Amino acid sequence: MVKYKASYSPVLDGRIIDLMWVYLNGDILKSEEARISPLDRSFTFGDGVYEVIPSYDNNLFLFEKHLARLYSSLEKTFIKAPSDLIDLKKILSELHIKNKHKNQFFYVQISRGIQEFRSHESSSDVTPSLFITSQKLKKNPYRNNPNKAGLKIRLEEDVRWQRCDIKTTALIGNILSMHDPSLAKVDEIFLHKNGMINEGSRSNIFFVKDNKVFTPPLSQKILPGITRDFVIDLLRRYKIEISEEEIPLDFIYDTDEIWVTSSTKEIQPVSQIDDYVMPVKKTGKVIWKQLLEAYHHI
Ligand code: PDD
């Protein structure tokens, strides 16, 4: 007989860890107390959406944009907005205080809801669930040390579904190869299809050639990154040329800078893609460093 386990041991790598405070459908509680039915469609179908929102010193960064993308994900998946979503800002602030870390990032997870009898189609009366976690946001190491070696990247065929513009919790296409024991660990994976690089498995991509910046255009092939958008605004403010266009694979070997952006990584440079080591730029300014400095002042 399977025994119900009331709580799990808060041990990670042999150390007792401080459990985080989470939010679940109206309550703020310790993660070990959070309970949700296994009949939740996010568990049975991966039927949910999510958002990742950073907060510096309890100031949410680009909150309105994250909220707008979350509503857009709900609209595109026909998932109802949970009634407590209206209080999101307040909930995140309370979680920030409870979890104490100076800088944090929140995962705001919404599932279509719990359904008693399995059916691919959900009944119209399912109530969506809202679950939020908060973790310590580590300082981007390139802020203190911009000369630190860049990220190591693996190139991979993009096998994900064709609606990557939706921030869905069904991320197996993004994470599959990270669990292949035959593959070496890398910092990020660049996903390509039909000779074009779409994005990272968890970031957007930027390439620089002769002081002009390139990033793939918004489409159903990529997530409309909030950081991507913010960085494009910064580039325009600095009058640096930016072109939103498809990036062919061989551009890797003819480019001055490559960097990734995301809410948790901010901006981070790349130094190696598969076996190719990027040459270090010796003259002229390095655009990603200039942008990261602008991040400091926010
Ligand atoms: N990932 N593309 C993908 C596939 C992503 O998962 C992410 C973010 C981004 C960058 O989006 P943004 O700038 O809005 O964070 C692009 C987050 C951090 C995650 O899922 O953990």
Side-chain angles (χ1 to χ4, degrees):
M1 209 180 93
V2 180
K3 279 197 190 136
Y4 175 71
K5 203 172 169 211
S7 64
Y8 64 90
S9 176
V11 173
L12 183 71
D13 298 335
R15 281 179 307 119
I16 296 193
I17 51 160
D18 204 11
L19 292 175
M20 74 177 143
W21 291 91
V22 300
Y23 174 91
L24 178 62
N25 292 333
D27 296 313
I28 288 186
L29 21 87
K30 282 270 178 169
S31 59
E32 66 170 352
E33 288 158 10
R35 294 278 178 275
I36 194 150
S37 166
L39 297 170
D40 187 281
R41 289 182 62 94
S42 207
F43 186 59
T44 52
F45 288 97
D47 191 3
V49 297
Y50 77 108
E51 193 54 48
V52 186
I53 311 178
S55 176
Y56 299 89
D57 247 335
N58 208 354
N59 291 306
L60 293 162
F61 186 59
L62 303 172
F63 176 73
E64 300 303 331
K65 294 200 169 187
H66 282 285
L67 190 64
R69 186 174 62 185
L70 183 57
Y71 273 103
S72 153
S73 298
L74 289 169
E75 204 177 301
K76 288 172 179 173
T77 51
F78 314 103
I79 294 175
K80 281 183 265 173
S83 54
D84 40 352
L85 195 56
I86 205 104
D87 298 322
L88 185 61
K89 214 172 189 168
K90 216 177 99 219
I91 299 167
L92 297 184
S93 177
E94 277 182 45
L95 274 180
H96 198 121
I97 293 163
K98 286 226 144 264
N99 280 306
K100 294 197 179 91
H101 307 296
K102 183 173 158 62
N103 300 329
Q104 301 179 24
F105 58 107
F106 299 102
Y107 274 77
V108 179
Q109 314 271 149
I110 299 176
S111 145
R112 195 180 299 276
I114 295 157
Q115 194 173 6
E116 190 60 30
F117 296 101
R118 188 185 169 107
S119 153
H120 283 63
E121 290 158 42
S122 68
S123 43
S124 58
D125 57 352
V126 288
T127 308
S129 297
L130 176 59
F131 176 56
I132 306 170
T133 62
S134 165
Q135 278 163 250
K136 181 177 176 174
L137 178 61
K138 288 198 196 119
K139 193 169 180 180
N140 179 353
Y142 297 95
R143 282 187 184 237
N144 283 349
N145 183 6
N147 297 324
K148 180 179 147 61
L151 306 180
K152 278 193 182 162
I153 307 289
R154 181 169 63 237
L155 281 174
E156 225 169 71
E157 172 95 24
D158 193 345
V159 295
R160 300 173 302 166
W161 74 327
Q162 291 175 30
R163 289 305 306 274
C164 294
D165 55 314
I166 308 174
K167 202 161 171 66
T168 153
T169 52
L171 286 171
I172 197 143
N174 300 52
I175 63 166
L176 193 59
S177 72
M178 294 173 195
H179 299 91
D180 182 340
S182 68
L183 294 173
K185 278 216 176 312
V186 286
D187 300 305
E188 178 57 313
I189 297 163
F190 279 6
L191 302 166
H192 62 87
K193 199 168 192 174
N194 302 327
M196 300 294 171
I197 315 172
N198 294 331
E199 62 177 339
S201 65
R202 55 200 139 161
S203 60
N204 290 112
I205 54 168
F206 287 79
F207 283 54
V208 181
K209 175 78 186 160
D210 299 332
N211 294 318
K212 183 174 170 184
V213 181
F214 299 84
T215 195
L218 292 183
S219 74
Q220 295 185 350
K221 292 187 266 189
I222 67 166
L223 186 79
I226 304 298
T227 323
R228 172 191 181 278
D229 207 37
F230 174 70
V231 160
I232 291 175
D233 276 353
L234 280 181
L235 287 166
R236 295 207 170 111
R237 215 183 297 170
Y238 283 113
K239 304 212 164 10
I240 297 170
E241 206 180 336
I242 162 81
S243 175
E244 294 179 57
E245 58 183 87
E246 301 256 1
I247 296 186
L249 271 167
D250 56 11
F251 200 14
I252 290 172
Y253 313 102
D254 184 31
T255 189
D256 303 322
E257 297 171 36
I258 301 177
W259 20 280
V260 300
T261 62
S262 87
S263 298
T264 49
K265 285 189 162 65
E266 301 174 340
I267 304 170
Q268 298 196 1
V270 167
S271 60
Q272 188 172 341
I273 300 186
D274 288 343
D275 293 333
Y276 177 71
V277 179
M278 304 237 345
V280 177
K281 203 171 176 182
K282 294 218 170 66
T283 53
K285 63 175 186 286
V286 178
I287 293 177
W288 72 263
K289 288 185 183 173
Q290 190 184 351
L291 297 174
L292 193 55
E293 263 172 44
Y295 239 97
H296 280 268
H297 301 295
I298 294 152

